[in-house]
Amino acid sequence: MNKQLLIVGNWKMHLTVHQSSLLVHRLQQHIKTHRDIEVVLAPSMLVLQPISVELDKRRFKLCAQDAYFKDEGGYTGEVSFAMLGDLVQYAIIGHSSRRLFFGETLDTVRDKVQASIRNDIMPIICVGETQQERDAHETRQVLHDQVTTALMNVTSKDIEKIVIAYEPLWAISAFNKNVTAKPEDAQKAISFIRQQVSELYGDRAAKHMRILYGGSVNEHDARSYLELPEVDGVLVGAASLNYLQFTGIVDAAHQIQTERKS
Ligand code: 13P
């Protein structure tokens, strides 16, 4: 089965509307259309609307970095998945920054996954262990708890819409500048996540699910993760803010797909 590789750029809390517009312009100039690759941009909430007007939607999809799980109500400062329904195809849920800095719990992530599905937005659920949990050999337990809770109310029909991203916190540039995960680490964790999905939804669902690697990835090492048999794409942070680096990652994905076909 040759799945489309999914390349997601998470811009986090970077770039003004103007800077984002410049980056989109550059990306549209440099990134070629490849049928076997899906390129998704996750700018700040403020930028989604203006960018949606400029974006060539045949080539790029939009993603929210987060949203609130209630559809509407007196929740000052929040934006709901319902409000984003016309703008984005994807939403990142449970990113490590949300879990660490904003106290997002397993239950909140579960509720957000439900809200996302309810509003026809495909969730990209982030899971991953901290350095401390890794040192204590708790990686499997953490991944198990995060995956099973996030999928708690997901039906076998809706499992097809779910994407999971494995983000080892100890390898994310915002937390740990000079450490990257070895491809074997990524492979092991992603394989374990797939096994969890298989236990819950069967082999077919597990095989079809797109599972991304979301630790630090750049244009030089993207290939080493993307060529792993169980890795279906990457969730990129810092390198997605630079059009040359992000284009390099998409090119690496395209090269792999071309080699797989030949
Ligand atoms: P970096 O690529 O900057 O390490 O960030 C990874 C990440 O958090 C993607 O969501």
Side-chain angles (χ1 to χ4, degrees):
M1 181 180 40
N2 223 349
K3 288 185 247 179
Q4 262 193 329
L5 286 175
L6 180 56
I7 312 293
V8 186
N10 177 10
W11 297 359
K12 304 189 181 178
M13 200 177 73
H14 294 287
L15 309 184
T16 61
V17 172
H18 180 63
Q19 290 166 331
S20 303
S21 170
L22 288 177
L23 179 57
V24 162
H25 182 69
R26 291 275 186 234
L27 293 173
Q28 303 204 126
Q29 275 177 329
H30 285 81
I31 295 186
K32 298 189 193 78
T33 316
H34 305 294
R35 264 202 282 159
D36 44 17
I37 297 171
E38 198 176 347
V39 184
V40 177
L41 307 177
S44 77
M45 197 66 97
L46 180 69
V47 166
L48 285 170
Q49 173 68 48
I51 286 301
S52 78
V53 185
E54 296 170 28
L55 204 65
D56 179 349
K57 302 206 179 58
R58 287 162 307 175
R59 294 162 60 199
F60 298 92
K61 293 195 175 127
L62 276 177
C63 177
Q65 295 178 14
D66 181 41
Y68 193 52
F69 59 82
K70 299 275 189 185
D71 285 345
E72 66 168 305
Y75 304 101
T76 304
E78 294 297 319
V79 172
S80 69
F81 288 92
M83 291 167 169
L84 290 168
D86 296 335
L87 270 180
V88 302
Q89 286 83 7
Y90 289 95
I92 296 172
I93 295 180
H95 190 275
S96 50
S97 6
R98 305 290 328 158
R99 297 188 197 248
L100 272 183
F101 303 139
F102 302 99
E104 207 152 284
T105 63
L106 294 175
D107 290 352
T108 320
V109 173
R110 176 202 58 205
D111 292 345
K112 288 187 175 185
V113 170
Q114 284 305 300
S116 167
I117 293 171
R118 185 165 74 236
N119 288 289
D120 271 333
I121 296 172
M122 287 184 276
I124 302 176
I125 305 168
C126 297
V127 298
E129 79 284 10
T130 61
Q131 179 73 59
Q132 218 177 5
E133 289 161 343
R134 176 175 154 86
D135 293 343
H137 305 288
E138 289 169 0
T139 301
R140 282 172 167 244
Q141 189 58 50
V142 170
L143 293 178
H144 169 270
D145 294 350
Q146 290 177 339
V147 170
T148 47
T149 336
L151 300 181
M152 198 174 264
N153 298 320
V154 174
T155 64
S156 344
K157 186 171 145 271
D158 288 333
I159 195 72
E160 291 170 17
K161 300 172 195 150
I162 306 270
V163 178
I164 294 183
Y166 170 58
E167 291 200 307
L169 270 71
W170 47 273
I172 293 180
S173 67
F175 307 124
N176 219 345
K177 266 248 163 314
N178 300 312
V179 181
T180 52
K182 292 198 199 90
E184 308 86 271
D185 292 329
Q187 171 70 27
K188 239 197 262 170
I190 286 178
S191 199
F192 179 73
I193 293 168
R194 217 177 277 287
Q195 194 188 318
Q196 301 302 298
V197 177
S198 169
E199 275 166 29
L200 294 167
Y201 297 91
D203 269 359
R204 195 178 167 278
K207 258 191 210 136
H208 274 80
M209 175 178 279
R210 286 179 299 174
I211 307 185
L212 316 181
Y213 175 64
S216 259
V217 175
N218 60 42
E219 74 279 31
H220 305 298
D221 62 15
R223 188 185 167 92
S224 62
Y225 299 107
L226 285 166
E227 68 190 0
L228 297 170
E230 299 219 29
V231 174
D232 304 309
V234 283
L235 174 58
V236 187
S240 70
L241 298 171
N242 177 304
Y243 72 91
L244 288 174
Q245 291 179 23
F246 195 60
T247 304
I249 295 170
V250 176
D251 287 347
H254 175 58
Q255 209 178 352
I256 290 166
Q257 291 289 56
T258 311
E259 288 163 13
R260 281 182 182 159
K261 269 187 246 153
S262 63

